[in-house]
Amino acid sequence: MDYNFREIEAKWHKNWAAEKAYRVENDFSKPKYYVLDMFPYPSGAGLHVGHPLGYIASDIFARFKRLSGFNVLHPMGFDSFGLPAEQYAIQTGQHPKITTEINSKRYREQLDKICLSFDWSRQVDTTDPKYYKWTQWIFLQLFKSWYNTKSNKAEPIDNLIASFEKEGFSGNEDITAFTKDQWKGFSEKEKSDTLMHFRLAYLDEAMVNWCPKLGTVLANDEVKDGVSERGGYPVERKKMPQWSMRMTAYAERMLTDLNTLDWPESIKEAQRNWIGRSQGSSLQFTIENGQGTIEVFTTRPDTVFGVTFVTLAPEHELVKKITTADRKAAVDAYVNAAKNKSERERQADVKKITGEFTGAYVLHPFTGKKVPVWIGDYVLAGYGTGAVMAVPAHDSRDHAFAKHFGLDIPQVIEAPAGWDFSKESYDGKEGKCINSDFLNGLDVKDAVKRAIAEIEKRGLGKGKVNFRLRDAAFGRQRYWGEPIPIFYKDGIPTPLNESKLPLVLPEIDKFQPTETGDPPLARASDWKHQGKYSYEHTTMPGWAGSSWYYLRYMDPNNDKEFASKDAIKYWQNIDIYVGGAEHVTGHLLYFRFWTKFLFDYGYLPFNEPAKKLVNQGMIQGVSHFALFYPNSKPKTYISFKAAPPADIPTLHLERVDINIVKNEMLNIEEFKKWRPENADAVFKTDPNGEFECITEVEKMSKSKWNVINPDIVIEQYGADTFRMYEMFLGPIEISKPWSTQGISGVHGFLKKLWRIFYNENGLALSNEKATPQELKILHRTIKKVKEDIERLSFNTSVSAFMICLNELNELKCNKREIMEPLLVVLSPFAPFITEELWRAIGNKISILKATFPTVNEAYLTESTFSYPVSFNGKTRFMLELPLTLTKEQIEKEVLASDDAKKWIQDTPIKKIIVVPNKIVNVVI
RNA sequence: GCGGAUGUGGCGGAAUUGGUAUACGCGCCAGACUUAGGAUCUGGUGCCGCGAGGCGUAUGGGUUCGAGUCCCUUCAUCCGCACCA
C-alpha cells in the first residue's frame, strides 16, 4: 500500500472539521500559551509560498505546546480594511465588502489546506461592525483622555477639566496660562479647542499631500516629483484638519520598556532610532528689533559660543514676520518652492544646499553679538522647534551651509591636531571648550551640563528631551475604514455616546471623494447624528484595527466589553508573536502604544502586547527573463547560452511567467500562447534546441510573474511535505528564494516513514521489545526535536527526523514501542500522515490529544566516548575510551596508542590538554 | 552617512557553551533491481595531490593548547533609517 497523501489529507481534513478539533475553550484550569501570527490583509492575489513560512512555524510551535499540556490560543483573522479593495471598488463599483469576503474566503481555504490549527470560531475581521465597535470604543477612550506627566499615565480628561476649574492652568508651549475664572468664562468652543491640546486622540491642523485633481490626500510614497503617482496630477502641501494620536506621550515608556522584551535586537534598535530620543536644551534668541524671540533646540549647548547664524525651517511661523523688505522676494520664492516639494523629495537631495538670508538678526544670548537669521530646508519644521542654532565648526550640516554661503566657521571645541576646519567640521563629543567664556577648559560632557545650568539660570531656556517620534496621523480621506465616532455640534467635535456604537459605515453611491473634495463619506448626505449633526467624514487608518486585535481573540463574541476581564487575565499577553519585519516601526509601535494606554486604565494587567517576537524571513521569487534583440523584426529572442558575449550588453530582457519555464529552459510553445503577439517571433536556441532564460531573485509578486502558489505544491506533494519542506529550507528568520530543488528529499522521508508501517502485505508493525540501541535513537530524537522547537530551529528538527529514520531503517526496526511515540513527536510537523498511521495502528483517540513523550535520559547515557585526538590542534585519529577514566588515565591511554606513537615519533611533548568528554590535544 | 544583519562544498544549510568543520537534504558519480524510471535500495562525493600529506568557514591580522564561533582590519551583499539640530 502506497503513501496516498491526497486521500489521507482529504479524510482527516473532513474529520477534524467535523470534530471541531482545533476549538479552544477558555479553560482556566489549564496553563495557557498564546501563539499569534500577524494577521494578513486578504489581497486579491491570494497566498504565495512566502506567506505560510511564519504560519507553519507558529503552527508547529502551537501544536507542540498543546501536546505538552498547554491550553493554546492560536487564532487567525483578517486585517481587511485597506486600499486595494477600495481602489478596486472605485474602478469597478464593486463594494469593498464583497471583495473582502471573496478574498478572505480564498485565504481561509488556502490556510486550511496547509493544515494550520487555527480556531476559526475566534476569527477576527476588522471590517465587521461587531469588531470595529470596539476599535471605535478605544478611540473614544483616547479622545476622553490626556497624558498626565506627573503620574506618568493616561487619565480621564474630566480630571483635567476639574483641575482647570479649580486652579486654572500655568501654560505650556501650546497654550498660554489661564486662571480658573478665565476657564469658566471660556465659550464651549474655546474650551473644546483648549482640551484638544491635551486629548490623546485629537483634531489638529496637519501638513498633508493634497492632490486637488484626485480630491484626496496622498501618502508620501504616492507622490513622485511633485505629482501624484496615479494620474500624474500636481500635488501641494496643505494644512488640513486631521485626527491624530498623541503617541509621543508614550515615547519615553515605549523606549525604556523595549529592554524588557525578548525581541530581535535589530527590531528593538530600529524602534529606538525611530523614537529617537535626544537630550539637550531649548534656548531663546532675541530678535534684534524687539519682534520677540526664536526658540531653538540643541543637543550641543556646549558649542553655543560657536553660533554664527540661526536657521529656520521655511515653514517656520516667524519667517513672514521677520523677513526684511529687501529680502522678501527671494525668501517668498524659496518658501513657495519648499512648500511644493514633498517631505521625501526634500530629504532626497541632501547634497544640494539651499537657503536664503531673511535680512533679520537675533542677538547671541551670551555675547549679545548680532547673528544673522537664515532659512533653509535642511531644517525640518516638524522636529524640535523648527529652528536651529548653527555651529558650523562642529556640525557637518551647518558646516556645509556656512561653506556654501561664505559664513564664518569659528572653532570652540578642541579638535585633533591638524584639523582643517575649512574642509570639515569636528562633530566629535570629546575635547575641551575654547573661545567659550565661562565654558573654557571644560570637557564637552561637563560643558553641556554647565551650559544648561547657565541657560536655565538666566531664563533663556531649559534642559529638555526631544523625540524624533511624531504623533500618528489618524484620519484618512477614504471610504474603506472604520468611521470615527465623532459628530460636530456647532463646530465642536463631540464624541458619540458609547451606547450608540458601532457607528456603522454608511452605504454610498460612489467610492470617490465628492466634487468639492470632501472624503467619500460626505456622499452619505443623510448620514447625520440625530438627523442633524454631521459626522466626521474621514475614517481610521489601516493600523487602527490591528492595534488591539490580539485582545479580541481572547473573547471574540463579547458584546459588553472588548474582551472580558477574566479572559484577559487568563490569556495575558502574547507569548510568541510571529510576522514579517516590515512592520517594525508601524504596527509594532501602534500596537504597543494602545496596549500601554489600555494598561493605564487598568483594562489590561500587562503593558506590553508581545513578550517574544520572531520575524520570519521573506521567501523571494526567482524571476525569469528571455533575452531578445531590441528593435528586431521579426522579434528575435536568443537563448542565454547561445548569445555571443559581445551581444549580451545590448540585449533586452523580457519577463517570463515562471510557470512556463522548467530548469531555466523556456517552453517556447507555451510562451507564444502566453504572449500571442510573439507568434511569429524567432527563437535562437542552443544547439540541443533548448532556450535558456536568465534569472534574478526578487520579491515574490504577481507583477513580476514569479509567484509560486502553495496550492500547486500541495497538490503535487501534499501538505505534510509542503510544511516540512518550508521548514527544512533554513532558519525561519532568514530570507531566501523559493526553489523546489530538494523537496523530493522531504517527500522521500515521509514515504520512507510510511513504508516502515506498511509493506507489500499491508500494515506490519512489530510488537517486539525495543533494544537499548533503538531506544537510544528514539530518545535522542525526542530530546533534539523538543529543544529545536523551543528555540524555533525547525530546519534542524527536520534533519533530526531524517537521521532517526535512517538509523532505524539500518536496524530494520519497525517496533511499535519506537514508532508510536515517534509519530507524536513528528505530528506537529506532519499532522496528516501521523494521524493516519496513529489511527491505523489502533488508536481510537486523535493524535492531536496525545502527549509529547518525555525524554528518558537513562537511554542516552554512554559508557564510552570516542575521543578525537589532535596534535597541535589538528585532529588525527579517534580513540574510544571509557568515560570513567581520569584525565591522567586518558593521557596515558592516548600516549600508549599506536596511532599516537606514529604522530609523536621522537618529538618531545610540550603539553597535553585533556577535556573529558570532548577532546584530547597533544602539543608537540 | 548612520544603524542592523549576513558571508561555510556545485546548491539549501548544520556545527546550541571556544573543542572532530561541512550533519541532513538536493545535485552529481558508480552500482543493484527493473520492460521502464521522475520508483526503490547500496556505495562515493570540500579542494590540491599517485601517495604520504597539504590546504580549507569572504579578506588580512590577533588572542588561545585549540577559532566558523572571541577581538581588530578590510571587502561584499541584504535590510531599515536617513539633513532629527
Side-chain angles (χ1 to χ4, degrees):
Chain A
M1 197 173 136
D2 282 340
Y3 168 43
N4 185 336
F5 58 82
R6 286 194 192 90
E7 237 168 59
I8 294 169
E9 295 185 2
K11 172 173 152 197
W12 291 111
H13 195 261
K14 218 170 114 196
N15 190 303
W16 287 327
E19 287 176 4
K20 295 194 167 64
Y22 300 124
R23 188 65 160 263
V24 182
E25 302 301 337
N26 288 357
D27 175 0
F28 301 159
S29 68
K30 270 188 169 174
K32 73 98 190 185
Y33 207 87
Y34 191 177
V35 181
L36 186 65
D37 294 290
M38 290 184 188
F39 64 166
Y41 173 77
S43 87
L47 285 178
H48 63 61
V49 291
H51 294 112
L53 187 67
Y55 300 156
I56 295 169
S58 60
D59 190 63
I60 291 170
F61 200 84
R63 286 172 184 271
F64 166 71
K65 281 286 172 187
R66 260 181 233 128
L67 295 173
S68 309
F70 288 88
N71 189 23
V72 178
L73 182 57
H74 182 46
M76 182 45 85
F78 297 104
D79 187 15
S80 25
F81 275 128
L83 234 54
E86 177 155 347
Q87 208 51 47
Y88 189 71
I90 290 171
Q91 281 157 17
T92 65
Q94 179 166 160
H95 198 288
K97 199 192 291 171
I98 314 259
T99 317
T100 302
E101 259 166 37
I102 294 169
N103 293 347
S104 307
K105 197 164 158 260
R106 168 118 191 269
Y107 264 62
R108 162 98 199 255
E109 282 166 10
Q110 288 187 298
L111 293 169
D112 280 346
K113 269 195 194 147
I114 304 166
C115 199
L116 300 170
S117 59
F118 298 128
D119 176 358
W120 286 106
S121 73
R122 289 177 183 257
Q123 176 185 324
V124 151
D125 175 351
T126 54
T127 60
D128 181 347
K130 288 202 222 67
Y131 177 81
Y132 70 64
K133 168 179 177 176
W134 296 104
T135 310
Q136 292 172 330
W137 179 84
I138 296 171
F139 173 89
L140 288 179
Q141 308 313 305
L142 285 154
F143 179 81
K144 293 180 203 165
S145 301
W146 67 297
Y147 199 85
N148 185 342
T149 50
K150 289 215 182 71
S151 61
N152 206 18
K153 61 177 202 176
E155 290 181 8
I157 196 102
D158 292 343
N159 294 0
L160 185 66
I161 296 171
S163 116
F164 287 167
E165 282 167 352
K166 223 162 93 194
E167 14 189 283
F169 181 62
S170 58
N172 64 18
E173 285 150 32
D174 297 332
I175 308 202
T176 47
F178 51 79
T179 64
K180 61 179 180 182
D181 295 325
Q182 279 172 313
W183 168 259
K184 284 172 192 152
F186 282 174
S187 67
E188 284 306 309
K189 177 88 177 106
E190 282 167 324
K191 280 185 182 166
S192 162
D193 289 349
T194 305
L195 292 173
M196 272 301 174
H197 289 276
F198 294 90
R199 295 183 190 277
L200 292 180
Y202 64 98
L203 189 61
D204 189 20
E205 296 269 302
M207 275 291 181
V208 294
N209 302 311
W210 174 251
C211 179
K213 189 76 194 211
L214 293 172
T216 192
V217 172
L218 300 174
N220 281 338
D221 42 72
E222 293 176 293
V223 185
K224 291 249 156 73
D225 304 319
V227 296
S228 62
E229 197 176 35
R230 197 158 40 84
Y233 307 116
V235 174
E236 55 189 61
R237 307 268 302 149
K238 188 176 158 187
K239 261 199 169 174
M240 283 179 77
Q242 279 279 354
W243 283 94
S244 292
M245 288 284 168
R246 205 174 300 281
M247 184 160 65
T248 48
Y250 286 88
E252 191 81 57
R253 279 167 64 188
M254 291 212 280
L255 194 64
T256 51
D257 289 350
L258 278 175
N259 300 327
T260 67
L261 300 177
D262 180 9
W263 286 18
E265 203 43 51
S266 59
I267 302 285
K268 291 207 253 182
E269 198 53 35
Q271 291 221 345
R272 282 187 199 110
N273 291 340
W274 191 261
I275 294 168
R277 184 183 198 274
S278 56
Q279 195 142 16
S281 172
S282 64
L283 181 58
Q284 305 273 353
F285 283 76
T286 308
I287 302 168
E288 191 189 22
N289 302 322
Q291 288 165 301
T293 59
I294 293 174
E295 182 177 309
V296 303
F297 172 74
T298 178
T299 55
R300 297 293 304 273
D302 55 309
T303 62
V304 68
F305 289 94
V307 173
T308 51
F309 55 98
V310 164
T311 316
L312 304 181
E315 296 90 345
H316 198 283
E317 50 183 11
L318 286 173
V319 172
K320 251 203 187 99
K321 197 166 147 195
I322 63 170
T323 302
T324 56
D326 58 319
R327 299 296 309 151
K328 191 170 184 312
V331 168
D332 281 355
Y334 187 81
V335 170
N336 273 327
K339 191 173 122 187
N340 289 325
K341 274 201 263 177
S342 74
E343 217 161 295
R344 194 159 288 187
E345 281 172 297
R346 269 169 67 170
Q347 289 163 2
D349 21 76
V350 174
K351 271 145 248 144
K352 222 163 75 196
I353 293 154
T354 61
E356 285 293 340
F357 177 44
T358 61
Y361 290 87
V362 290
L363 302 175
H364 191 284
F366 293 111
T367 65
K369 268 200 234 157
K370 272 172 68 171
V371 175
V373 180
W374 286 67
I375 58 171
D377 66 6
Y378 81 96
V379 179
L380 303 176
Y383 182 76
T385 60
V388 304
M389 59 173 224
V391 184
H394 303 288
D395 182 287
S396 50
R397 293 151 304 171
D398 297 341
H399 186 272
F401 195 85
K403 210 170 135 186
H404 189 261
F405 290 108
L407 300 160
D408 275 354
I409 306 177
Q411 184 189 354
V412 290
I413 304 285
E414 262 178 7
W419 196 275
D420 183 357
F421 280 89
S422 68
K423 280 217 181 72
E424 201 185 352
S425 60
Y426 171 65
D427 295 12
K429 286 177 185 167
E430 264 145 50
K432 286 188 164 39
C433 290
I434 51 173
N435 308 326
S436 292
D437 193 1
F438 60 87
L439 297 175
N440 280 336
L442 291 174
D443 280 323
V444 167
K445 237 170 124 192
D446 299 327
V448 169
K449 282 187 203 140
R450 180 71 216 282
I452 294 176
E454 199 64 30
I455 289 167
E456 288 183 351
K457 195 172 119 199
R458 301 194 194 188
L460 297 166
K462 60 179 174 189
K464 184 172 167 179
V465 172
N466 237 333
F467 292 96
R468 196 183 84 100
L469 185 76
R470 292 188 216 171
D471 280 345
F474 200 71
R476 298 287 185 270
Q477 319 272 321
R478 307 281 179 190
Y479 174 71
W480 196 228
E482 301 88 343
I484 293 176
I486 291 285
F487 61 90
Y488 292 87
K489 193 174 175 182
D490 309 321
I492 297 172
T494 313
L496 194 63
N497 191 301
E498 282 167 24
S499 65
K500 296 283 193 291
L501 296 178
L503 174 60
V504 179
L505 199 54
E507 294 304 321
I508 55 176
D509 53 348
K510 268 160 93 184
F511 301 100
Q512 277 156 314
T514 66
E515 283 64 33
T516 52
D518 286 317
L521 283 186
R523 290 180 181 275
S525 48
D526 49 3
W527 185 58
K528 290 207 157 64
H529 185 62
Q530 295 174 343
K532 45 187 172 180
Y533 305 115
S534 180
Y535 282 119
E536 170 62 41
H537 286 152
T538 59
T539 52
M540 296 190 199
W543 56 269
S546 58
S547 294
W548 73 280
Y549 74 113
Y550 75 105
L551 297 166
R552 188 63 177 171
Y553 287 130
M554 299 174 184
D555 192 9
N557 299 311
N558 194 329
D559 57 1
K560 304 275 185 313
E561 298 161 283
F562 64 85
S564 76
K565 271 227 142 75
D566 286 346
I568 295 170
K569 194 175 156 213
Y570 174 61
W571 290 111
Q572 293 277 323
N573 47 2
I574 303 163
D575 290 287
I576 183 161
Y577 193 33
V578 180
E582 64 272 23
H583 301 292
V584 178
T585 47
H587 165 64
L588 291 176
L589 276 175
Y590 304 136
F591 168 72
R592 297 180 62 216
F593 161 43
W594 280 34
T595 298
K596 289 185 184 302
F597 171 71
L598 293 171
F599 167 80
D600 283 354
Y601 271 95
Y603 290 116
L604 309 179
F606 46 84
N607 67 5
E608 281 289 343
K611 286 185 217 148
K612 186 177 171 71
L613 175 75
V614 178
N615 284 125
Q616 91 262 20
M618 244 197 314
I619 290 204
Q620 293 131 325
V622 179
S623 307
H624 288 76
F625 301 86
L627 293 166
F628 68 96
Y629 286 94
N631 306 320
S632 50
K633 258 182 201 160
K635 194 164 183 185
T636 306
Y637 290 87
I638 185 158
S639 166
F640 175 52
K641 277 240 186 68
D647 284 6
I648 287 179
T650 70
L651 294 173
H652 285 201
L653 299 174
E654 183 160 318
R655 277 190 189 276
V656 172
D657 187 337
I658 189 165
N659 295 307
I660 55 175
V661 182
K662 202 172 180 186
N663 299 330
E664 264 88 271
M665 300 305 165
L666 179 68
N667 182 328
I668 296 172
E669 287 315 306
E670 290 287 322
F671 182 62
K672 284 181 175 173
K673 263 188 244 162
W674 182 58
R675 291 275 185 248
E677 67 273 21
N678 286 329
D680 305 324
V682 176
F683 290 84
K684 293 195 175 171
T685 61
D686 300 341
N688 61 5
E690 288 187 322
F691 187 100
E692 187 174 344
C693 296
I694 66 170
T695 60
E696 201 177 310
V697 172
E698 298 180 294
K699 203 170 146 176
M700 205 175 267
S701 137
K702 217 178 177 181
S703 65
K704 299 190 198 303
W705 296 100
N706 62 2
V707 171
I708 306 283
N709 185 321
D711 302 3
I712 293 169
V713 184
I714 290 172
E715 176 54 35
Q716 209 177 343
Y717 294 98
D720 285 338
T721 300
F722 179 71
R723 288 167 63 98
M724 290 191 84
Y725 182 59
E726 285 233 351
M727 292 301 101
F728 191 56
L729 280 175
I732 41 166
E733 66 272 16
I734 304 288
S735 293
K736 57 222 147 215
W738 174 261
S739 147
T740 39
Q741 289 221 330
I743 197 167
S744 63
V746 172
H747 193 60
F749 162 80
L750 292 176
K751 283 203 263 191
K752 219 184 267 182
L753 174 74
W754 186 264
R755 279 198 308 271
I756 290 182
F757 288 79
Y758 284 97
N759 60 25
E760 317 77 60
N761 308 316
L763 189 66
L765 210 56
S766 148
N767 283 319
E768 264 178 77
K769 190 133 185 50
T771 66
Q773 198 183 0
E774 290 161 346
L775 285 166
K776 188 197 268 181
I777 293 168
L778 171 68
H779 282 263
R780 201 200 292 142
T781 306
I782 298 170
K783 186 174 178 182
K784 170 79 176 147
V785 171
K786 181 170 186 281
E787 285 169 2
D788 281 351
I789 294 176
E790 277 161 355
R791 66 186 176 109
L792 305 167
S793 175
F794 302 109
N795 54 330
T796 51
S797 20
V798 175
S799 100
F801 285 122
M802 290 173 168
I803 293 167
C804 173
L805 218 55
N806 288 346
E807 289 175 348
L808 291 176
N809 258 334
E810 200 133 315
L811 299 173
K812 306 244 176 319
C813 168
N814 67 337
K815 294 174 185 164
R816 171 183 288 268
E817 192 185 345
I818 300 295
M819 298 316 294
E820 197 163 23
L822 188 61
L823 285 179
V824 180
V825 179
L826 181 62
S827 67
F829 294 81
F832 288 115
I833 191 174
T834 49
E835 177 81 307
E836 173 66 25
L837 294 172
W838 177 258
R839 301 282 187 122
I841 61 174
N843 288 291
K844 293 281 171 288
I845 296 166
S846 169
I847 196 165
L848 300 174
K849 303 270 189 286
T851 300
F852 199 87
T854 44
V855 183
N856 187 341
E857 293 283 348
Y859 295 127
L860 300 178
T861 48
E862 309 262 356
S863 59
T864 63
F865 180 74
S866 183
Y867 280 92
V869 180
S870 56
F871 289 82
N872 292 342
K874 268 272 163 204
T875 308
R876 294 305 179 183
F877 61 90
M878 306 301 286
L879 188 63
E880 180 130 342
L881 295 170
L883 277 168
T884 49
L885 296 190
T886 64
K887 273 190 175 189
E888 290 70 27
Q889 286 170 314
I890 293 169
E891 195 175 316
K892 230 166 105 192
E893 288 288 338
V894 166
L895 293 178
S897 70
D898 291 344
D899 281 314
K901 284 181 187 143
K902 179 180 138 207
W903 285 97
I904 300 166
Q905 295 195 350
D906 37 5
T907 329
I909 293 164
K910 288 189 190 137
K911 199 173 170 187
I912 299 184
I913 287 110
V914 177
V915 185
N917 221 344
K918 279 257 164 75
I919 198 170
V920 176
N921 188 16
V922 184
V923 187
I924 51 176

